[in-house]
Amino acid sequence: MSDFEFTQRMTIGQYLPTGSALHRLDPRARIVIYIVLLAAVTFTPGIWGLVFGLLVMCVGLLWAHIPLRYALKGLLPPLPFLLILAIMQVFLHPGGAAETVFFQLGPLLVTTGGMAAGGMILLRFAALILVLSLSSFTLSTSELILGLHRLLRPLGRIGLPVEDLVLMIQVTLRFIPFLMQAAERIVKAQASRGAAWGKGSGGPLRRARHILPMIVPLFLTSLRRAENLALAMDARGYGAATERTSMRELHFRAWDWLAVAVGILLAAVILLPMV
Amino acid sequence: MERPANEGDPGAMSNLIEIDNLTYSYSLSGEDDQPVLSGISLQIAAGELVAIIGANGSGKTTLARHLNGLLLPTEGQVRIAGLDTRLAENRQTIQSTVGMVFQFPEDQMVATVVEEDVAFGPENLGLPLAEVRRRVEAALREVEMWEWRTRPPHLLSAGQMQRVALAGVLAMRPRCIVFDEATAMLDPAGRQMVMNMLHRLHQEGLTILYITHFMEEAAQAGRVIVLDQGQVALDDSPQEVFADAGQLEKLGLDLPPAVEAAHLLRPVFPDLPEGLLTMGALLASLPHAPESVAAFGTASESHAQAESAAFIEVTGLSHIYLRDTPFAHQALRDVDLQVAEGSAQGLIGGTGSGKSTLMQHLNGLFKPQTGRVQVGRFDLNQADVTVHQVCQSVGLVFQNPESQFFEQYAGDEIAYGPRIQGMQKPELRQRVQWAMDVVGLDFEAYKDRLTFTLSGGERRKVALAAILSLQPEVLLLDEPTAGLDPQSRKELIDHLQALRTAGMTLIVSSHHMDDIAALTGRVMVLHQGQSVLEGTLGEVFAHTEKLSALGLAPPPAARIAEALRRNGWPLPAGIVDLPGLEEALADFPGGGQ
């Protein structure tokens, strides 16, 4: 594995056009379902709700023809941070009188409640990451933009600049892959000139000095890009007409309504305080 | 494509573009009073095919941006189809009359999917849905990208992206298209494709203006405008503009290769017609040899490569990007390469053929997934060999290296490498001075210059010096001349040739066969990650058909030599550059008769 392939380690943020039934749902339906599920796993109070949520994600991934192994790999990079968070939860949980104490480390008590809270944190983040992965695997950026545009359009009537807002999101999303490529190229070029990339030696000042050769050109490249893009948009008449049209149309069918209903139902089950 | 409707032109419009005494300066209060454009007057009629050439910084791009109102004149007037660009109410009509294709293809993409990007312009015009769809399809079919309509732009090649950008302009149904160095970043096949489209659109009745640094492209125009320091220096037919080599050189320009070659050939073939501007025309007018001459046998190749131990040895190298993911992509497949110490190796092939990936294996940026790589004393298969060590003996100069500058002053930029190695003041100063000498930059004059005030050619030299300051034994160059004007390109080639003569091992990847012919002795052709041809320049460039199937063409001198040979003239094999051709013609049987 190379130190320089930034894109290699990221599974979240990739779109996988497998053509499954889930992919063929109206983008608006998918956006609503993912938002509802995201909210459900964020706010559910009980551990069984989370377990059920995880189960729903796995079924969703299988339904979308995404290899489970690939999706679960996305859990690995943030795992160390999550473990630290979970361990802190275990120790810092305010123990109640009714809880059994497992063992005591000086002032730190490890109680059943603490263990449960640590476990909850792990499960909750796993579920969150899986919902986000599922949405990025099944929603292409163009569908996301189109769906958002149509969902937000009613807000245009109360004076919100929906068109500009959506275009802003679109341009940002389009910049990400190019920015990653540019960053990769710059790091490689500086490493070829002897920059100690990836070596954790030296104090913070020295390290900051090492980062400078990467940040400055990346910043300048992005500015140049932004300027060129603005020129290109200007040249193609952006902002000239009063009303922009849009090439794509969406059709919300009965099937999409059904899917949204099922999504809301599942979210409700996740939120049920079981046990 | 249908001709666009005239939008209420005044009856007898003959000139589509009228520029009156145009002056433009960046309003940097007083500091820089030199205007970018001064007193330019031009008329361009509908249906013309115009090339705009000039050295870096001569004002070409600034002029182009006045043609659709992206910039507005400081003084003077620009009228498009009779409409003044300074009036806001004309803006939309002007933007849909004159379209622009820019230099960097990826910077022009707005949307995350090809077809939506093409739809951006028509959507801005507020056209009805059915019309937007019709225009998007017509435009994408015109540039032959219809099959790619659902792709995200970042997965396209540079040439494909440029065609999508052109489609985005065509979808607005303009009457005129301005190409601002639209071929500069493309491989030979991509460049050819864009040029073909430009000609086709011109034949369909559009007015075309294009800015270029390639004189062979400028020679294909009906009219050539030469800019020099913000003024029109020449404005004439290509025959007239390219008649005076001395004057062109003063303007920082060059002759098209066909014209230069014709000068060499005329003493030997006095019957060669005047005014040959393109390679096609030149090759077609080369005379056939009389019977008596054709009887001579061809001499054997003069370049006998002395076998010496390989300094760089690559065996069975394969590389897969994003391995173990659904996006896995094989970039190199079982490549073998030997490069002797002090020799020069060229790498050619289209975008995505694996040239850059191969180069990045030679200084340790990539570790071999399969196969072996040995460079001098470094065995790159060993896990503990890092770029940090290898870069002291292998210098890699990336494409557009000046975009990676981060220091304010040229001297600091060059000192960065040795400084990181722990070199201290007096020695460091000497080292920087040495590196600047090698690339022809005066130490005292340039060390304290701000990098962003340097010209394109000077910046490229600083970037090269920044690698040379590590005193590598091997120099890897990825597209060393991309984006340079003819004069800067020539100077850079001279300095690189001097380095080669001084014994440095060079590996050069380029889309320009002239660079390869001038700088290297052997060349490898890569295609889809595989080495398909390898040998001396003469050997490789003799495979004309195989190369053209890959979208490549041998350098002009090699093509002329081959055409002469085919016409029965006994020329030796292995001619790849004009000096070589000149030499062969000097002792030509029947030469100068």
Side-chain angles (χ1 to χ4, degrees):
Chain A
M1 174 122 118
S2 161
D3 293 342
F4 300 104
E5 278 195 12
F6 292 176
T7 39
Q8 181 141 23
R9 277 164 282 185
M10 301 257 297
T11 59
I12 195 166
Q14 299 282 14
Y15 172 61
L16 300 175
T18 58
S20 72
L22 187 56
H23 284 81
R24 291 196 302 270
L25 280 185
D26 187 288
R28 283 168 295 184
R30 272 174 283 165
I31 292 174
V32 170
I33 292 170
Y34 298 143
I35 290 176
V36 169
L37 286 177
L38 203 66
V41 296
T42 310
F43 296 114
T44 178
I47 197 154
W48 292 110
L50 279 177
V51 171
F52 181 70
L54 279 171
L55 215 70
V56 170
M57 291 328 134
C58 291
V59 173
L61 285 165
L62 288 176
W63 190 35
H65 301 310
I66 312 283
L68 270 185
R69 253 179 65 96
Y70 179 74
L72 294 177
K73 248 170 61 183
L75 293 175
L76 290 180
L79 198 60
F81 302 101
L82 295 182
L83 280 176
I84 292 171
L85 263 178
I87 288 166
M88 278 166 66
Q89 271 296 321
V90 169
F91 284 117
L92 301 177
H93 186 77
E99 287 174 0
T100 334
V101 176
F102 273 127
F103 57 89
Q104 192 163 6
L105 258 174
L108 298 170
L109 279 177
V110 177
T111 64
T112 39
M115 294 292 275
M120 282 284 284
I121 279 259
L122 269 185
L123 286 180
R124 200 185 294 278
F125 273 96
L128 280 174
I129 290 169
L130 284 184
V131 182
L132 289 174
S133 308
L134 181 62
S135 57
S136 83
F137 293 154
T138 56
L139 257 178
S140 74
T141 41
S142 67
E143 287 173 330
L144 174 66
I145 287 155
L146 191 66
L148 273 179
H149 182 221
R150 295 306 142 81
L151 284 172
L152 295 176
R153 197 151 58 175
L155 295 178
R157 275 187 228 123
I158 58 164
L160 219 70
V162 173
E163 296 282 344
D164 295 318
L165 213 71
V166 170
L167 188 81
M168 214 167 73
I169 298 173
Q170 169 171 351
V171 169
T172 311
L173 288 174
R174 203 202 61 75
F175 256 55
I176 293 171
F178 283 114
L179 218 58
M180 304 259 280
Q181 285 170 358
E184 192 174 317
R185 215 162 32 226
I186 288 165
V187 168
K188 278 178 174 173
Q190 307 303 13
S192 305
R193 294 173 60 187
W197 175 254
K199 281 205 272 183
S201 59
L205 212 80
R206 214 186 138 87
R207 291 204 52 151
R209 175 91 188 125
H210 282 306
I211 290 174
L212 201 67
M214 185 193 148
I215 296 300
V216 173
L218 191 62
F219 200 66
L220 292 177
T221 308
S222 309
L223 281 179
R224 192 209 71 199
R225 281 248 158 94
E227 197 186 343
N228 286 348
L229 183 68
L231 270 176
M233 283 169 63
D234 225 357
R236 282 160 72 185
Y238 183 66
T242 42
E243 183 100 358
R244 288 191 79 221
T245 45
S246 184
M247 186 176 69
R248 298 241 311 236
E249 281 173 309
L250 293 176
H251 300 287
F252 215 83
R253 292 154 304 180
W255 174 233
D256 296 305
W257 284 114
L258 185 69
V260 171
V262 170
I264 292 174
L265 197 71
L266 289 172
V269 174
I270 293 171
L271 280 168
L272 275 183
M274 286 178 283
V275 190
Chain B
M1 232 175 99
E2 313 161 38
R3 285 284 288 112
N6 281 4
E7 310 206 12
D9 288 345
M13 269 305 305
S14 55
N15 288 327
L16 184 65
I17 299 172
E18 290 176 302
I19 303 173
D20 272 336
N21 202 22
L22 164 64
T23 296
Y24 182 81
S25 48
Y26 291 105
S27 42
L28 282 169
S29 52
E31 200 180 308
D32 184 16
D33 276 325
Q34 173 78 17
V36 190
L37 297 175
S38 55
I40 289 188
S41 294
L42 286 170
Q43 278 81 43
I44 289 161
E48 275 198 90
L49 178 63
V50 183
I52 301 175
I53 57 177
N56 284 334
S58 58
K60 306 183 296 292
T61 294
T62 312
L63 175 62
R65 288 182 184 170
H66 276 88
L67 301 180
N68 71 342
L70 285 177
L71 292 177
L72 300 178
T74 311
E75 279 168 49
Q77 207 183 33
V78 178
R79 282 188 306 277
I80 307 299
L83 301 173
D84 190 333
T85 59
R86 286 175 304 183
L87 301 177
E89 66 261 32
N90 292 337
R91 195 182 133 149
Q92 195 185 341
T93 318
I94 287 170
Q95 277 167 346
S96 45
T97 307
V98 181
M100 287 198 84
V101 180
F102 297 86
Q103 180 177 6
F104 294 97
E106 74 269 22
D107 293 1
Q108 304 169 52
M109 302 286 128
V110 182
T112 46
V113 177
V114 164
E115 60 177 355
E116 285 171 32
D117 191 80
V118 176
F120 182 73
E123 285 174 357
N124 286 335
L125 298 178
L127 295 169
L129 189 79
E131 176 66 12
V132 174
R133 284 219 180 115
R134 203 161 48 232
R135 287 189 178 199
V136 167
E137 178 168 353
L140 279 172
R141 286 196 191 281
E142 175 91 21
V143 300
E144 292 160 40
M145 288 294 290
W146 178 242
E147 287 72 31
W148 303 78
R149 62 189 178 279
T150 57
R151 280 290 191 107
H154 72 274
L155 296 181
L156 302 178
S157 76
Q160 290 173 324
M161 271 194 263
Q162 203 61 296
R163 275 148 63 193
V164 172
L166 175 57
V169 168
L170 286 175
M172 297 184 74
R173 298 273 159 89
R175 297 174 59 194
C176 171
I177 301 180
V178 181
F179 293 80
D180 186 356
E181 284 192 57
T183 60
M185 297 294 137
L186 307 185
D187 64 10
R191 241 162 56 211
Q192 193 56 50
M193 190 86 178
V194 169
M195 283 311 286
N196 288 347
M197 270 167 200
L198 188 152
H199 283 294
R200 193 162 77 207
L201 293 171
H202 173 243
Q203 274 152 20
E204 287 168 13
L206 268 79
T207 312
I208 307 280
L209 281 86
Y210 61 101
I211 295 174
T212 182
H213 277 322
F214 301 116
M215 297 304 125
E216 65 267 36
E217 289 178 2
Q220 299 168 25
R223 171 179 171 191
V224 179
I225 295 172
V226 184
L227 290 187
D228 182 39
Q229 295 175 19
Q231 288 174 316
V232 176
L234 296 169
D235 178 1
D236 216 325
S237 68
Q239 280 82 1
E240 292 301 319
V241 167
F242 293 121
D244 189 347
Q247 189 176 15
L248 280 174
E249 198 170 326
K250 262 184 246 146
L251 298 168
L253 299 171
D254 212 356
L255 287 176
V259 177
E260 206 176 340
H263 283 313
L264 287 181
L265 293 169
R266 196 154 286 120
V268 188
F269 306 112
D271 296 337
L272 211 58
E274 291 290 331
L276 295 170
L277 290 169
T278 61
M279 282 304 289
L282 175 64
L283 294 181
S285 355
L286 291 172
H288 284 265
E291 291 290 325
S292 57
V293 180
F296 281 80
T298 47
S300 66
E301 187 158 347
S302 52
H303 295 279
Q305 180 95 358
E307 276 303 316
S308 59
F311 185 72
I312 295 172
E313 192 151 18
V314 176
T315 22
L317 181 66
S318 296
H319 185 81
I320 301 174
Y321 277 110
L322 302 173
R323 195 160 57 163
D324 302 328
T325 73
F327 303 94
H329 159 69
Q330 182 132 25
L332 286 176
R333 197 185 301 252
D334 203 17
V335 171
D336 296 319
L337 176 67
Q338 274 94 37
V339 181
E341 187 160 15
S343 68
Q345 173 78 39
L347 298 176
I348 57 177
T351 312
S353 59
K355 306 189 299 285
S356 296
T357 312
L358 176 56
M359 286 229 200
Q360 289 171 28
H361 274 90
L362 300 180
N363 82 335
L365 281 172
F366 285 128
K367 286 303 178 66
Q369 289 175 344
T370 41
R372 303 198 57 78
V373 178
Q374 176 88 34
V375 179
R377 61 185 185 281
F378 296 106
D379 176 357
L380 288 159
N381 286 67
Q382 276 173 3
D384 56 344
V385 174
T386 65
V387 202
H388 196 59
Q389 301 158 2
V390 181
C391 75
Q392 293 169 51
S393 85
V394 182
L396 170 55
V397 185
F398 276 82
Q399 187 171 355
N400 290 326
E402 53 278 3
S403 69
Q404 281 128 20
F405 285 173
F406 55 93
E407 297 278 7
Q408 270 193 302
Y409 299 102
D412 286 335
E413 190 67 50
I414 298 167
Y416 173 74
R419 198 176 265 156
I420 277 210
Q421 309 285 352
M423 194 179 274
Q424 297 297 324
K425 207 57 196 250
E427 202 190 342
L428 185 65
R429 198 183 157 86
Q430 266 175 13
R431 183 63 75 81
V432 171
Q433 186 160 12
W434 172 84
M436 287 174 79
D437 280 348
V438 173
V439 298
L441 287 173
D442 183 59
F443 178 67
E444 291 302 331
Y446 280 94
K447 70 177 167 47
D448 294 328
R449 287 278 298 273
L450 293 167
T451 48
F452 70 86
T453 63
L454 301 173
S455 76
E458 288 165 343
R459 261 186 282 185
R460 190 64 56 87
K461 285 181 187 171
V462 170
L464 182 59
I467 296 291
L468 290 174
S469 63
L470 289 163
Q471 294 198 326
E473 302 154 68
V474 182
L475 195 55
L476 311 173
L477 299 153
D478 197 353
E479 297 294 337
T481 64
L484 294 184
D485 63 17
Q487 201 104 51
S488 315
R489 183 177 162 268
K490 223 180 227 169
E491 275 180 46
L492 189 72
I493 296 270
D494 285 346
H495 290 297
L496 291 173
Q497 273 173 336
L499 280 174
R500 184 187 172 194
T501 317
M504 190 173 279
T505 308
L506 291 186
I507 297 192
V508 184
S509 119
S510 182
H511 290 323
H512 296 286
M513 301 307 134
D514 283 336
D515 295 358
I516 297 290
L519 291 174
T520 66
R522 294 180 72 84
V523 66
M524 176 189 270
V525 185
L526 286 164
H527 178 62
Q528 292 177 356
Q530 280 178 299
S531 163
V532 287
L533 276 175
E534 212 278 328
T536 62
L537 294 178
E539 287 162 6
V540 169
F541 287 138
H543 291 86
T544 320
E545 269 157 43
K546 198 161 180 182
L547 289 173
S548 90
L550 301 176
L552 303 166
R559 292 172 65 188
I560 293 167
E562 202 211 58
L564 284 172
R565 256 178 251 126
R566 216 179 313 121
N567 286 358
W569 299 96
L571 277 179
I575 295 172
V576 292
D577 53 6
L578 288 178
L581 182 63
E582 194 174 11
E583 203 179 303
L585 290 175
D587 43 38
F588 210 57
Q593 51 198 224

